[in-house]
Amino acid sequence: MNANVHLVKTLLKYTFGLVPIVAGLDKFTNILTDWSQYISEGFAEMLPFEPSTFMMIVGVIEIIAGILVLTKTQIGAYVVSAWLVAIALTLLFSWSYVDVAVRDLVMAIAAFSLAKLSEGNPIK
């Protein structure tokens, strides 16, 4: 395998493995930001529990997705890509944090690229 391709795959693998884990853990501490601010008021009113509880559930999903990228890169990268698209669409539909939505769509493309690079050639 080309050394540059291997380097890109490795960088993407650890980026999309570690960042979701860190972001997921932060859903429990809110050190980086108050994550519940990203929930629209309408959606928050529909929740049967507090928005902070919802964000903790999201955090668990993100931690699992990150671990999946690190252990089963191709599958995990597809999961992270889909997750980022879902987040971006949610933000676009509420027309809040559109800049974050665009950033998440770009990251989804990068995660999808990792999945495609990982087809048939697992990172060792």
Side-chain angles (χ1 to χ4, degrees):
M1 173 185 341
N2 181 310
N4 286 331
V5 172
H6 183 73
L7 174 63
V8 169
K9 284 173 59 175
T10 301
L11 287 170
L12 289 173
K13 175 182 177 177
Y14 287 103
T15 297
F16 288 108
L18 297 176
V19 171
I21 292 170
V22 170
L25 290 171
D26 195 59
K27 301 298 189 291
F28 294 88
T29 63
N30 290 309
I31 292 171
L32 299 175
T33 190
D34 175 9
W35 294 97
S36 60
Q37 71 179 320
Y38 295 105
I39 300 174
S40 71
E41 288 182 28
F43 184 73
E45 291 172 4
M46 293 189 304
L47 292 173
F49 38 72
E50 293 295 317
S52 59
T53 303
F54 175 76
M55 293 312 291
M56 288 180 194
I57 295 167
V58 168
V60 169
I61 294 167
E62 289 174 340
I63 292 166
I64 292 168
I67 292 169
L68 197 55
V69 170
L70 293 174
T71 59
K72 304 275 187 195
T73 303
Q74 183 182 4
I75 295 166
Y78 280 127
V79 169
V80 168
S81 180
W83 184 253
L84 287 164
V85 169
I87 292 168
L89 291 175
T90 301
L91 293 172
L92 288 173
F93 288 140
S94 68
W95 204 249
S96 59
Y97 302 102
V98 176
D99 57 327
V100 175
V102 171
R103 182 209 58 204
D104 283 359
L105 287 173
V106 171
M107 291 190 327
I109 292 167
F112 180 81
S113 298
L114 172 60
K116 296 307 281 181
L117 286 171
S118 299
E119 284 181 359
N121 296 313
I123 300 171
K124 299 204 180 342

